[in-house]
Amino acid sequence: MFSQLGDKLQEIFKDLRGHGKISEANVDAALRQVRLALLEADVDFEVAKKFIARIRDKALGEAVLRSITPGQQIVKIFYDELSILLGGDAAPLNLGEPHRILIVGLNGSGKTTSAAKLARLLKKQGRSPNLVALDLQRPAAIEQLATLGKQIDVPVFTPEASEKNVQRVAESALQDRQSGSIDIFDTAGRQEIDVALIEELAQLKRFLNPQETLLVVDAATGQQAVSVATRFDEALEITGIILTKLDGDARGGAALSMRAITGKPIVLIGTGEKIDALEPFHPERIAGRILGMGDVVTLVERAAETADQDEAERLARKFEKGNFDLDDLAAQLRQLRRMGGMSSMLGMLPGIGKIKKQIDAANIDEAIIKRQEAIIGSMTRSERKNPKLLNASRRRRIATGSGTSVPDINRLLKQYQDMAGMMKKMKKLGQKGLMRHGLSALMPGGGRH
Ligand SMILES: Nc1nc2c(ncn2[C@@H]2O[C@H](COP(=O)(O)OP(=O)(O)OP(=O)(O)O)[C@@H](O)[C@H]2O)c(=O)[nH]1
Ligand SMILES: [Mg+2]
């Protein structure tokens, strides 16, 4: 997800931070590179241009260059602007009256999968979702939704096989509904936006009058996804976007141009084929992921989903206090293993970018994690609590004990230090900074979406 763009940007900023003093010329050179990186990521030309201009204004306008940490301040400006570009505040799904969510989009964009994923998400939040199969075009579509519904134990309203009238099905579905349920309507796609599709959907929309009309678009199609969104919006007035297949999209152009061009928020993102691979879209957290600052909040939330609550709260407190030892790292590694989807999870850990790349390249995540667990398992309790104790001879002992090598141990410790360093930085940001980074979710009683 955004790896290509992320790598480039991180490289550019590393360069910039390398200068003790930064001149206007340095900034301009860096921004030229950023602009290229954005265009390569398939970001809309005008969007990229305006984005760069805003950053330049801020970087040169305030007393940034004369400060003691100009590089860091520019990264901060960049982070803020990137968050805004991605949509600013997260746009939560409207679940109000009449509790109807219409899902639309082109063929193969991920409508049916996303409808089911969304139902699962709502169910986990204690709601009562109900799926309605309104794709009467593709013969297997109803069956597909029914199967997914069974898998997540959510009711699915399915029409007779011979039924060809979408509106009639919608009507019976509404008569059939349980009070208090949230209905999610999966519709037929087309190869391209044509009059017949729009007419069918427009009628359906008038009939259902849903509070949310969500367009599903495939992130991998880049700027095309944005123009599809523009055209759907003109015809149907969509309320938000579900951007799918971000897991396979290294560039990120669709995500970055969408809000600026369509004015519509990305509400949810699809990050994999599995039924749990759908997340609410939080611009600031994604900006953090792109810039390699990690997304600890999502990680902790995901941990809370799969782990027991106590463990998640314990970790959250550790993050909050900024003290994080090797026992915590081991606990996290165990979590990661349990949560599966390792490499996507690792992408959310601060300072772990390089390791993630090795893992992606070798596709040996399980093995690496197990080895790291073995290393930590071969340490004494006091070593785990206080990694500073780990001198050369202790490292040799641990290598022998865990069947690994000293460089393996050094790598693990480096990873630990990077993470601990990031925790400290977050702590320095203070309560206000943490809120800005969405870490409010970690605070007792804090706002989890
Ligand atoms: N990797 C990945 N695959 C996805 C994601 N979302 C959907 N897919 C896959 O995309 C393919 C098409 O998904 P569907 O949900 O059937 O798409 P659709 O829009 O309902 O397609 P039609 O009903 O034919 O118009 C399936 O193989 C899904 O598993 C995602 O976020 N990541
Ligand atoms: Mg479908």
Side-chain angles (χ1 to χ4, degrees), residues 226-247:
V226 181
S227 69
V228 165
T230 307
R231 293 181 53 203
F232 263 94
D233 189 37
E234 281 163 7
L236 279 180
E237 255 194 77
I238 57 177
T239 54
I241 314 263
I242 301 181
L243 195 59
T244 59
K245 309 189 194 184
L246 265 182
D247 49 313

Side-chain angles (χ1 to χ4, degrees), residues 208-393:
L208 289 174
N209 194 23
Q211 87 281 3
E212 286 279 13
T213 302
L214 300 180
L215 173 71
V216 179
V217 285
D218 178 346
T221 59
Q223 287 196 52
Q224 204 196 325
V226 181
S227 69
V228 165
T230 307
R231 293 181 53 203
F232 263 94
D233 189 37
E234 281 163 7
L236 279 180
E237 255 194 77
I238 57 177
T239 54
I241 314 263
I242 301 181
L243 195 59
T244 59
K245 309 189 194 184
L246 265 182
D247 49 313
D249 176 35
R251 298 183 304 165
L256 287 165
S257 319
M258 193 60 86
R259 183 62 183 260
I261 294 191
T262 67
K264 300 291 161 162
I266 298 170
V267 183
L268 295 157
I269 50 177
T271 55
E273 295 199 45
K274 288 209 194 111
I275 196 80
D276 63 353
L278 185 80
E279 308 172 11
F281 184 69
H282 294 281
E284 293 194 339
R285 300 188 195 177
I286 298 289
R289 277 195 228 175
I290 295 176
L291 296 179
M293 299 161 163
D295 180 358
V296 177
V297 187
T298 301
L299 189 67
V300 172
E301 283 178 359
R302 195 86 74 81
E305 255 191 30
T306 44
D308 56 298
Q309 196 61 24
D310 291 351
E311 174 70 7
E313 269 165 25
R314 196 183 64 80
L315 266 182
R317 268 196 305 279
K318 288 269 187 175
F319 283 136
E320 199 183 332
K321 288 210 194 103
N323 62 16
F324 182 79
D325 60 30
L326 284 168
D327 275 327
D328 301 316
L329 181 60
Q332 271 210 337
L333 293 173
R334 268 196 304 281
Q335 288 280 352
L336 281 173
R337 209 142 55 85
R338 219 178 302 153
M339 284 188 270
M342 192 79 57
S343 101
S344 82
M345 301 297 299
L346 284 177
M348 295 182 207
L349 287 174
I352 210 166
K354 270 198 220 92
I355 294 173
K356 178 175 170 337
K357 229 169 287 161
Q358 290 166 0
I359 290 171
D360 285 347
N363 195 22
I364 42 170
D365 24 343
E366 285 288 320
I368 289 193
I369 298 289
K370 278 196 188 132
R371 193 156 72 216
Q372 296 193 329
E373 286 189 49
I375 292 174
I376 298 176
S378 296
M379 294 175 184
T380 63
R381 190 181 145 72
S382 52
E383 285 166 348
R384 292 198 301 273
K385 290 287 167 218
N386 183 10
K388 287 205 185 77
L389 293 175
L390 292 166
N391 57 19
S393 75

Side-chain angles (χ1 to χ4, degrees), residues 106-113 117 135 138 144 189 244-245 247 270-273:
L106 294 181
N107 268 149
S109 54
K111 294 180 294 300
T112 307
T113 315
K117 286 176 177 175
D135 181 354
R138 204 161 52 81
Q144 184 191 358
T244 59
K245 309 189 194 184
D247 49 313
T271 55
E273 295 199 45

